[in-house]
Amino acid sequence: MLGKVIKYEKRVQGKIPKIMAFYLPQFHQIPENDEWWGEGFTDWEGAKKAVPLFWGHNQPRIPLHNNYYNLLDKKTMKWQAALAKKYGIYGFCIYHYWFGEKQLLEKPAENLLKWKDIDINYCFSWANESWIASWSKLKGNVWNQHGDEKKTNQNEYLVKQNYGGKEEWKKHFFYLLPFFQDRRYIKIKNAPVYIIYKPENMHCLRSFIEYWNCLAKENGFDGIYFVGTNFEKWKEAGMSAMLLYEPSFTLKQEQRGNYNRAFILSRLRDMMKEYGLKFPKLINYNFVWRRILRRKNDGNIWPGGFINFDNTPRKGTYGAVCIGNTPERFHNYFKYLVEKNRQKEFIFLTAWNEWGEGAYMEPDNNYRYTYLQAVADVINHK
């Protein structure tokens, strides 16, 4: 099946890239989420309340043995790290939320820094975007359905992303310095890897990069290894690499060309909307993966792949759902991705535990360990 759609190149001999998984630190209670979404809220709440929106829709997703864990529990993080190692995941790319004077969801990473016996490599991806009240499914509210910060009213912000100046950047750097100094923190040639999710949002990007590189050298490093997510101007900005975050990068490429061929039944959905009927977007899993595999990632571009995608637990009928995914298909596509990119340092997978977006490797009641096993089989040449 794959041979018909992908011109498969001669096997490249060499090392297997290190497999990284994006890691969401949302699964613990914080006062802000209590205020915004209700007492005791974590991302599990949306997952538990999800419902099937069409025939065959795999919702709700239930973790194996009803393991609705709390990330502040050391046993949970130790279990996750051991599971990742067992199935060939090199490390976690942990989302980091820094808004200037305010931080959110920082405790799991701070605990990991403290718990030196947890054996997992990690780095940070600074999720540098404002939090907007756009999870319309939750609490039944219809808030900012477009999810576009440029169109957002001031009262729709939960927390607004601010960058400040050098004083703020210095404070941010020295908060992260103990993490950078941790032996488990991922570095390339004595430069800690630091991913910025939306570098295009930073008017101060080049100045920020130059200042942090100076601070890093003053503190025993050769600089910071800055990586831009889906950022095609990464070289001009002085960054070291570009990371392709999937499936969003491929979907944006399709929409940029006004093709929308990645979406199934898009015309039918538009017609239903005209009559007041709501239906989530349906994404063709096979189409997106084939686009990923056809792409040539020349230069220092780190490729990405994805397990699945379904954000209807958060957005209901305003969300999107991947159709056609199976562990077997993921195994085949992931195998090709690894073979095509053996010369790369890393491959990033979405995701380890994005339960609210249907992108997770952790075992559930439906597929159990099969997605993790698919990763392990590829790493072990099976």
Side-chain angles (χ1 to χ4, degrees), residues 147-176:
D148 185 346
E149 188 167 334
K150 293 179 181 178
K151 300 177 184 178
T152 302
N153 296 324
Q154 193 67 31
N155 62 357
E156 290 177 326
Y157 284 105
L158 301 176
V159 184
K160 193 168 183 179
Q161 182 69 64
N162 293 307
Y163 298 105
K166 285 190 175 181
E167 184 178 344
E168 175 60 37
W169 307 344
K170 185 175 183 179
K171 182 179 177 181
H172 191 179
F173 176 87
F174 280 102
Y175 169 79
L176 289 172

Side-chain angles (χ1 to χ4, degrees), residues 47-308:
K48 289 176 182 178
K49 294 175 182 176
V51 295
L53 299 176
F54 51 88
W55 184 83
H57 186 198
N58 179 23
Q59 287 293 355
R61 312 288 184 90
I62 302 172
L64 188 63
H65 307 311
N66 292 311
N67 184 21
Y68 294 103
Y69 53 69
N70 180 348
L71 285 183
L72 301 186
D73 182 352
K74 184 177 181 180
K75 290 181 180 178
T76 292
M77 295 194 77
K78 205 161 191 176
W79 167 75
Q80 290 176 320
L83 196 64
K85 288 281 187 178
K86 179 179 178 180
Y87 288 97
I89 304 299
Y90 177 77
F92 292 149
C93 181
I94 303 172
Y95 295 119
H96 168 64
Y97 303 92
W98 180 280
F99 299 93
E101 292 299 317
K102 190 175 187 64
Q103 285 191 76
L104 292 173
L105 305 176
E106 73 280 5
K107 291 301 180 185
E110 290 180 356
N111 285 340
L112 179 61
L113 180 64
K114 179 174 62 177
W115 295 331
K116 303 295 185 183
D117 57 323
I118 295 181
D119 184 20
I120 190 67
N121 303 302
Y122 68 97
C123 65
F124 284 126
S125 173
W126 181 16
N128 63 315
E129 60 180 349
S130 300
W131 282 22
I132 301 170
S134 61
W135 292 0
S136 55
K137 173 89 167 37
L138 304 177
K139 298 178 74 173
N141 292 315
V142 181
W143 284 347
N144 188 23
Q145 301 298 352
H146 41 73
D148 185 346
E149 188 167 334
K150 293 179 181 178
K151 300 177 184 178
T152 302
N153 296 324
Q154 193 67 31
N155 62 357
E156 290 177 326
Y157 284 105
L158 301 176
V159 184
K160 193 168 183 179
Q161 182 69 64
N162 293 307
Y163 298 105
K166 285 190 175 181
E167 184 178 344
E168 175 60 37
W169 307 344
K170 185 175 183 179
K171 182 179 177 181
H172 191 179
F173 176 87
F174 280 102
Y175 169 79
L176 289 172
L177 183 59
F179 294 96
F180 294 159
Q181 293 170 332
D182 186 5
R183 62 173 179 78
R184 297 166 297 176
Y185 196 91
I186 296 168
K187 304 171 187 69
I188 295 179
K189 296 180 180 178
N190 195 35
V193 170
Y194 191 69
I195 298 164
I196 301 180
Y197 179 55
K198 288 195 172 180
E200 66 273 15
N201 287 359
M202 297 182 66
H203 64 279
C204 55
L205 180 60
R206 180 171 283 278
S207 299
F208 177 86
I209 287 173
E210 291 173 353
Y211 186 60
W212 267 34
N213 278 328
C214 289
L215 291 176
K217 290 172 183 177
E218 290 173 3
N219 286 275
F221 297 109
D222 293 338
I224 300 293
Y225 200 94
F226 282 103
V227 182
T229 302
N230 296 348
F231 187 49
E232 296 177 78
K233 296 181 179 180
W234 59 277
K235 287 183 180 178
E236 297 93 309
M239 306 185 92
S240 302
M242 173 183 173
L243 163 66
L244 303 184
Y245 184 89
E246 298 292 357
S248 67
F249 181 78
T250 295
L251 292 175
K252 286 178 182 177
Q253 293 294 310
E254 286 299 307
Q255 291 173 314
R256 182 184 295 177
N258 295 319
Y259 298 128
N260 285 332
R261 287 176 293 183
F263 296 98
I264 303 169
L265 303 177
S266 58
R267 178 58 187 146
L268 176 60
R269 182 177 182 274
D270 291 341
M271 291 172 62
M272 292 174 67
K273 189 175 180 181
E274 291 174 9
Y275 290 95
L277 301 173
K278 298 175 184 177
F279 197 72
K281 290 182 179 180
L282 302 182
I283 302 169
N284 188 325
Y285 186 79
N286 296 318
F287 181 94
V288 176
W289 259 108
R290 291 168 187 173
R291 278 285 189 265
I292 291 170
L293 295 174
R294 284 175 175 166
R295 187 178 298 121
K296 289 186 176 180
N297 300 322
D298 297 327
N300 207 16
I301 297 176
W302 294 349
F306 72 109
I307 308 299
N308 194 11

Side-chain angles (χ1 to χ4, degrees), residues 26 34 147 150 273 321:
Q26 175 71 273
D34 287 347
K150 293 179 181 178
K273 189 175 180 181
V321 183

